[in-house]
Amino acid sequence: MVVQTGRFGQIEVSSEEIISIPSGVLGFPEDHNFCLVDPGDETLILWLQSMSNPRLAFPVLEPKIFKPEYVVRLSAAELRELRLTSIKDASVFTILTIPAAMSEMTANLKAPLVINVREKTAKQVVLQENDQPIKFPMFKELRAHLISLPHSLVGNKTEKSAIEVKALPLNTRVELI
């Protein structure tokens, strides 16, 4: 299906690329179906794009890129809600805030987006650990990671495309509390 986006224009999205978020993203409970869009740039930042609201898209990033020791601990109830029978099927993203000064970019480590890649369902989980910040400054770590990558990995890709859910990274450690 063709989806109109405010940031990327029209993109083609298959049913394999649609992620259901039954409770919505915090502050946006009315939007339930999203896709991840790769803008084709060299930042590694993806966009969680609403399927029904062209103007609603959240920049997201896999947290292992800038905080390798980050762990998401889920309760049994959260595992059930996500229909996760194995934590190995969980992919984790943090929602970013990108101000005009890119060097002040932050990631919300307190409320990551957890995606069940097998079921194509997700939930923004508010972690119970009090030491996780809502605004973690991470630009310096992201820049260092990008510089360390071989140029062929960041490449010259310029095509915007939705990402098939089963192809998402499974790098961030997820544990049961």
Side-chain angles (χ1 to χ4, degrees):
M1 81 179 69
V2 175
V3 175
Q4 183 63 43
T5 72
R7 181 172 294 276
F8 307 110
Q10 289 186 346
I11 59 170
E12 184 72 29
V13 178
S14 75
S15 62
E16 296 297 313
E17 297 163 333
I18 298 172
I19 300 167
S20 172
I21 306 178
S23 53
V25 175
L26 294 175
F28 300 89
E30 65 284 347
D31 286 280
H32 302 282
N33 291 315
F34 292 81
C35 66
L36 283 169
V37 178
D38 182 349
D41 59 20
E42 297 180 357
T43 65
L44 302 179
I45 295 171
L46 303 175
W47 291 82
L48 182 67
Q49 173 67 54
S50 168
M51 300 290 288
S52 60
N53 182 347
R55 296 181 313 273
L56 185 61
F58 302 95
V60 297
L61 186 62
E62 210 278 328
K64 281 293 187 186
I65 291 171
F66 59 87
K67 192 165 173 67
E69 70 280 4
Y70 184 69
V71 176
V72 172
R73 291 180 179 88
L74 300 176
S75 68
E78 290 164 335
L79 287 175
R80 280 191 302 277
E81 190 174 347
L82 282 161
R83 299 189 313 231
L84 273 169
T85 54
S86 170
I87 56 176
K88 293 178 181 174
D89 292 331
S91 185
V92 177
F93 290 89
T94 55
I95 296 178
L96 306 178
T97 299
I98 305 176
M102 290 274 294
S103 62
E104 296 175 14
M105 182 183 334
T106 62
N108 182 345
L109 296 179
K110 182 71 172 172
L113 180 71
V114 180
I115 301 172
N116 178 336
V117 298
R118 185 179 304 265
E119 298 288 328
K120 297 184 288 187
T121 188
K123 176 179 177 56
Q124 187 177 13
V125 179
V126 178
L127 301 178
Q128 298 307 306
E129 295 92 5
N130 290 329
D131 62 338
Q132 297 295 354
I134 293 172
K135 291 186 174 268
F136 176 76
M138 43 66 73
F139 178 77
K140 185 171 74 172
E141 290 85 354
L142 175 59
R143 187 175 69 193
H145 181 79
L146 289 171
I147 289 170
S148 72
L149 290 176
H151 184 67
S152 61
L153 290 181
V154 288
N156 298 319
K157 184 180 170 196
T158 58
E159 183 179 320
K160 299 167 220 34
S161 61
I163 297 172
E164 193 168 338
V165 177
K166 65 183 178 185
L168 294 178
L170 302 173
N171 297 328
T172 297
R173 202 167 85 214
V174 177
E175 297 176 347
L176 177 63
I177 49 174

